[in-house]
Amino acid sequence: MSHVDSDYAIEVEDLVTHYGTTEILHGVSVKIKHEEIMVIMGGSGSGKSTLLRYILGLNNPTAGTIKVLGNDITKMTSQETYEMRKNIGVSFQGGALIRSLSVGENVCMPLKEHTKLDENTMRIMARMKLEVVNLANFEDLMPAELSGGMIKRAALARAIVMDPQLLCFDEPSAGLDPVVAAELDDLILHLRSAMKMTIVVVTHELDSAFKIADRITVLDRGNILMCGTVDEVKASKDKRIQDLLNRRPREEEVDPEAYLARLLGEKNTG
């Protein structure tokens, strides 16, 4: 793997992706700076979670390049991808804790998979990260004994246990009440300052996005509408962005000929 000095932790250029025969991302380009909190926003089906999956190297794109921490992940071997992922922490939408393992055992999982540390050292490291996310003394509980907010924080402890350079979140505050969600936002800001990591957050929660983001990338139907600061996004004159910010439903523009062709089951050649 070649490590290239760059101002950016992530560089996505002209990314095209398909799900089956359907094109999902249409030539997306975005750059994320080191130690930046980038929020990826968009309505349902906009492609924001898809973009995150490709940044993580979980799928191979149809076209374009994706550089993560200086490495073009579209050209890496599976072993190189495995090594790179040691520098990436991921917290999935539902927490994705393994129910049969205690909180401490869940947090230790990346250490068991990627290191040869002894059990005691791993337990100490897990405890340290549980303290960071305000879950000290909860290591022996099972996931079923935790509240929704605690599950999110335990998943976060697992994501940061290897001190990653890059942390990726998918909908961190989904399903949480506003107070717990605000606490999680504070925790994300604390992690960035304490651990000097780059953080990418996919969310549709506006309050959370405006609180934590250095910049926001707004996606709409697989295209980037804009990438800018919170103030720049709020001030955008783009109707689609204002509809998103004001939670207005989109007005579909109907092409009568295309509509008729759809009803008749004809292929759209245009």
Side-chain angles (χ1 to χ4, degrees):
M1 287 188 295
S2 61
H3 291 271
V4 181
D5 288 329
S6 169
D7 293 334
Y8 300 101
I10 297 169
E11 298 174 79
V12 178
E13 293 278 352
D14 300 322
L15 178 63
V16 177
T17 73
H18 283 78
Y19 182 73
T21 58
T22 305
E23 189 169 295
I24 306 296
L25 298 178
H26 317 297
V28 164
S29 296
V30 63
K31 293 184 177 182
I32 302 171
K33 300 169 188 170
H34 291 288
E35 297 181 30
E36 177 175 41
I37 298 179
M38 174 67 85
V39 169
I40 301 172
M41 281 182 62
S44 179
S46 61
K48 54 189 188 295
S49 291
T50 299
L51 177 56
L52 186 64
R53 287 183 63 82
Y54 281 86
I55 287 172
L56 293 170
L58 298 177
N59 301 88
N60 292 319
T62 307
T65 59
I66 308 165
K67 286 186 179 177
V68 177
L69 304 174
N71 302 289
D72 185 345
I73 63 173
T74 60
K75 295 177 180 172
M76 288 162 62
T77 65
S78 56
Q79 182 60 33
E80 287 171 335
T81 304
Y82 174 82
E83 291 296 325
M84 185 201 68
R85 286 202 187 123
K86 294 180 185 179
N87 292 311
I88 302 174
V90 185
S91 186
F92 295 103
Q93 189 168 339
L97 298 182
I98 294 176
R99 294 178 179 276
S100 59
L101 300 179
S102 70
V103 170
E105 288 168 336
N106 266 284
V107 176
C108 279
M109 279 180 62
L111 297 173
K112 287 190 171 176
E113 184 180 344
H114 295 295
T115 75
K116 293 184 168 62
L117 296 169
D118 63 85
E119 290 282 336
N120 201 37
T121 303
M122 286 193 281
R123 273 199 299 274
I124 290 168
M125 289 176 72
R127 278 185 204 133
M128 287 169 65
K129 291 306 190 288
L130 284 167
E131 286 204 10
V132 169
V133 301
N134 304 318
L135 282 179
N137 303 319
F138 286 88
E139 64 185 287
D140 294 328
L141 292 187
M142 302 302 285
E145 299 175 276
L146 304 182
S147 67
M150 291 164 77
I151 285 172
K152 292 281 175 93
R153 283 187 278 146
L156 183 50
R158 182 179 60 190
I160 63 171
V161 74
M162 299 226 346
D163 296 325
Q165 294 171 257
L166 173 62
L167 179 62
C168 296
F169 275 113
D170 190 11
E171 300 284 5
S173 50
L176 301 180
D177 71 58
V179 174
V180 176
E183 289 172 355
L184 198 60
D185 291 337
D186 288 336
L187 186 54
I188 291 170
L189 290 167
H190 169 70
L191 280 176
R192 193 266 300 271
S193 60
M195 299 181 70
K196 307 294 183 194
M197 58 176 65
T198 304
I199 301 179
V200 181
V201 179
V202 167
T203 186
H204 67 276
E205 301 285 349
L206 294 175
D207 290 345
S208 176
F210 292 159
K211 182 174 178 180
I212 65 175
D214 292 312
R215 287 190 301 149
I216 296 175
T217 295
V218 185
L219 276 171
D220 180 71
R221 296 180 181 180
N223 296 293
I224 290 183
L225 295 184
M226 79 172 293
C227 183
T229 64
V230 171
D231 289 340
E232 287 168 347
V233 170
K234 285 181 176 178
S236 170
K237 298 286 194 290
D238 189 303
K239 182 180 183 300
R240 291 166 297 179
I241 291 176
Q242 287 304 320
D243 285 349
L244 183 69
L245 299 187
N246 294 291
R247 304 193 186 284
R248 288 193 292 260
R250 290 194 53 149
E251 295 173 12
E252 294 287 340
E253 294 178 12
V254 178
D255 178 333
E257 288 184 19
Y259 179 62
L260 182 58
R262 246 194 347 263
L263 293 180
L264 295 170
E266 296 172 2
K267 294 274 191 238
N268 183 4
T269 57

